[in-house]
């Protein structure tokens, strides 16, 4: 019996319609192969037809022939394991020779007339085909009265319409799924408030933090903590504070830390927080990326607020938009800021151990691959996605792809490492699928990545020692500044004398 598949389609007259709106349609599966006079929906008719066919003289011979063919196939399947990989080594060679690539799967556009920036992306934690996107306008006093505050959850297979709308009281700058309960999302707002949603309870937030106990500036990052209840989270803002929350009681934060580098808790001297990092295997530690280009390493379990700020890492010239520990080697972390991405070792505070070249376009976000320890991703303000593999080459990206014409602001990779999404300035979220070689753990990759890290770390320490030795016989910063100032005034004075003599000669000639 054959199965006939008929798909419903909609025809639109080209003369009367300038543009065609796409829509999602179902597929009709209809059972076929029956004679015209037999209705397959009527059981009596089908039973009568089957009895008639079974009485046919050719029926028995046909069944016997089909039976012998089926028996032959079964014996073949039992003789060989059709699922076994017999040529794994050859496949590895093929993968290594494969050219890295990425292709666009879908594009999700802000459905509102006034476009907002896709500032944050979060994948559904259960591997589902859902992507939560936070939309905001980060320009100072750039929010129009007619601008929508809505953010959305998209089904990646249905780009025409969001699956669900989230309705905050202020634009969402960040948004995160709860890894323990995929129905729960927490968001940080432009006005400094924290809110959480339960997708089973609709579009309105279940609860929000009170204005007087919230951040004073936009909340740029919010992260779920590992806890028994799965209700603990913490947030970072450019107001210089890190706040801890329990979503069961949002009236005020459970804990507060002021990022004052002088360790005095003075909010006026605090460093503005842009990015935040928490690794579940290191529950007492967390890191903050600041507007001033410093990474602040903190210990949550320290006894006093001053002891909570452990140390800082300096090496960037602008705000640190991305900060993430390597999922395979948590003591190494990635930072993305100004025109470079840098890889650091937690034990070396003076300098990063690896870094990319300085790009012409500003870098706006980055993250590690969740499946390959040597691969990380960055996006730039010229609309380009770069894929880096430091085992393959360090000076240039393994793959550079122009995703769109406007600036890219956000980036997120799905846990399987196969799909990644990029958010743009005009509210477009582009879903890309990367080639298997970039999302498949290579043979001996962990060992090679470890050797590379140790080599770069040793080189960095050696370079630091050489700089120290050279510096012993050199002038101090104060002495150098004094000498430079004196030389500058000598040059100015000589130039003034020269001009006075020329003026005197001119007067004499006249």
């Amino acid at each position: 019996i054959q199965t006939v598949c008929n798909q419903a389609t909609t025809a639109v007259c080209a003369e009367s319609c300038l543009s065609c709106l796409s829509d999602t349609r179902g597929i009709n599966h209809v059972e076929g192969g029956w004679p015209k006079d037999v209705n397959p929906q009527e059981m009596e008719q089908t039973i009568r037809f089957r009895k008639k066919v079974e009485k046919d003289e050719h029926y028995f011979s046909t069944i016997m022939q089909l039976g012998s063919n089926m028996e032959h196939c079964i014996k073949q399947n039992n003789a060989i394991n059709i699922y076994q990989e017999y040529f794994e080594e050859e496949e590895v060679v093929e993968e290594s020779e494969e050219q890295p690539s990425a292709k666009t799967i879908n594009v999700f556009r802000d459905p509102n007339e006034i476009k907002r920036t896709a500032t944050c992306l979060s994948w559904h934690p259960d591997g589902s085909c859902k992507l939560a996107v936070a939309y905001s306008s980060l320009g100072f006093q750039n929010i129009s009265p007619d601008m929508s505050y809505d953010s959305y959850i998209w089904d990646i297979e249905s780009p025409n319409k969001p699956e669900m709308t989230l309705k905050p009281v202020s634009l969402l700058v960040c948004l995160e799924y709860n890894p323990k309960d995929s129905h729960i999302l927490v968001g940080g707002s432009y006005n400094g408030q924290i809110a959480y949603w339960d997708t089973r309870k609709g579009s309105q937030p279940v609860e929000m933090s009170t204005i007087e106990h919230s951040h004073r500036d936009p909340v740029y990052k919010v992260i779920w903590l590992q806890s028994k209840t799965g209700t603990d989270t913490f947030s970072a803002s450019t107001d210089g504070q890190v706040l801890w929350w329990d979503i069961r009681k949002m009236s005020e934060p459970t804990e507060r830390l002021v990022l004052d580098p002088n360790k005095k808790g003075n909010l006026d001297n605090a460093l503005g927080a842009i990015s935040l990092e928490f690794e579940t295997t290191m529950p007492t530690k967390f890191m903050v990326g600041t507007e001033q280009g410093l990474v602040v390493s903190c210990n949550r379990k320290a006894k006093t607020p001053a002891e909570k700020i452990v140390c800082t890492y300096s090496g960037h010239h602008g705000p640190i938009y991305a900060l993430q520990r390597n999922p395979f080697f948590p003591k190494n972390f990635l930072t993305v800021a100004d025109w470079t991405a840098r890889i650091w070792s937690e034990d070396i505070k003076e300098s990063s151990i690896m870094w990319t070249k300085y790009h012409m376009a500003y870098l706006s976000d980055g993250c590690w691959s969740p499946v390959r320890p040597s691969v990380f991703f960055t996006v730039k303000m010229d609309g380009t996605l770069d894929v880096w593999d430091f085992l393959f080459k360090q000076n240039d990206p393994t793959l550079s792809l122009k995703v769109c014409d406007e600036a890219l602001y956000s980036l997120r990779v799905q846990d399987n490492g196969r799909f990644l999404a990029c958010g743009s300035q005009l509210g477009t979220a582009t879903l890309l699928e990367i080639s298997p070689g970039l999302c498949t753990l290579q043979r001996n990759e962990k060992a090679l990545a470890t050797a590379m890290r140790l080599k770069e770390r040793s080189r960095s320490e050696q370079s630091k020692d050489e700089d120290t030795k050279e510096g012993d016989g050199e002038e101090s910063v104060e002495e150098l500044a004094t000498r430079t100032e004196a030389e500058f005034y000598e040059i100015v004075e000589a130039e003034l004398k020269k001009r006075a003599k020329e003026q005197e000669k001119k007067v004499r000639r006249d």
Side-chain angles (χ1 to χ4, degrees), residues 265-318:
N266 188 347
L267 199 56
D268 294 332
N269 296 329
L271 302 172
I274 292 286
S275 51
L276 196 59
E277 161 61 28
F278 171 73
E279 170 57 44
T280 54
T281 59
M282 301 177 174
T284 63
K285 294 182 178 180
F286 66 95
M287 304 178 87
V288 185
T290 66
E291 284 183 299
Q292 292 76 13
L294 291 174
V295 174
V296 183
S297 179
C298 304
N299 181 6
R300 188 187 174 192
K301 297 301 180 183
K303 294 180 180 178
T304 64
E307 292 175 354
K308 287 184 178 181
I309 298 176
V310 178
C311 63
T312 60
Y313 300 83
S314 174
H316 285 292
H317 310 295

Side-chain angles (χ1 to χ4, degrees), residues 181-215:
D181 186 347
S182 58
H183 298 289
I184 306 294
L185 298 98
V186 65
S189 303
Y190 189 83
N191 70 350
Q193 286 182 284
I194 305 294
Y196 89 90
W197 283 262
D198 186 332
T199 55
R200 295 163 294 192
K201 297 181 180 180
S203 298
Q204 299 296 331
V206 177
E207 196 171 347
M208 293 170 19
S209 61
T210 56
I211 288 284
E212 57 270 22
H213 291 111
S214 299
H215 289 283

Side-chain angles (χ1 to χ4, degrees), residues 6-12 21-28 157-158 160:
N6 297 324
Q7 184 174 9
T9 59
T10 304
V12 181
L21 297 176
S22 56
D23 198 3
T24 304
R25 297 287 183 180
I27 296 177
N28 244 345
E157 295 179 357
S158 302
N160 302 318

Side-chain angles (χ1 to χ4, degrees), residues 134-255:
Y135 298 87
S136 187
S137 177
L138 299 177
F140 180 64
Q141 294 184 338
N142 198 33
I143 300 176
S144 164
D146 300 324
M147 184 177 287
S148 170
Y149 286 176
D150 295 349
S151 286
Y152 304 104
I153 297 174
W154 298 87
D155 184 325
I156 63 172
E157 295 179 357
S158 302
N160 302 318
K161 186 180 179 182
E163 183 182 83
M164 185 174 181
T165 302
L166 305 178
K167 292 187 170 295
V169 297
S170 176
L171 290 164
L172 286 182
V173 181
C174 56
L175 184 64
E176 289 292 334
Y177 269 109
N178 186 332
K180 279 195 171 183
D181 186 347
S182 58
H183 298 289
I184 306 294
L185 298 98
V186 65
S189 303
Y190 189 83
N191 70 350
Q193 286 182 284
I194 305 294
Y196 89 90
W197 283 262
D198 186 332
T199 55
R200 295 163 294 192
K201 297 181 180 180
S203 298
Q204 299 296 331
V206 177
E207 196 171 347
M208 293 170 19
S209 61
T210 56
I211 288 284
E212 57 270 22
H213 291 111
S214 299
H215 289 283
R216 304 178 184 182
D217 280 357
V219 182
Y220 280 89
K221 190 68 178 177
V222 61
I223 292 181
W224 290 97
L225 288 163
Q226 190 178 36
S227 64
K228 292 180 180 179
T229 60
T231 58
D232 296 312
T233 181
F234 70 134
S235 57
S237 166
T238 47
D239 67 354
Q241 296 182 98
V242 177
L243 303 179
W244 283 263
W245 308 88
D246 186 333
I247 63 170
R248 295 171 300 180
K249 185 184 178 183
M250 300 277 292
S251 56
E252 60 181 346
T254 58
E255 199 177 332

Side-chain angles (χ1 to χ4, degrees), residues 152 411 443:
Y152 304 104
L411 171 69
R443 181 173 295 177

Side-chain angles (χ1 to χ4, degrees), residues 108-128:
F108 311 95
R109 292 183 171 85
D110 182 1
N112 295 283
E113 187 175 344
I114 301 175
K115 305 301 178 187
R116 296 88 42 85
T117 301
T119 50
C120 187
L121 309 163
S122 181
W123 287 99
H124 193 280
D126 297 339
S128 176

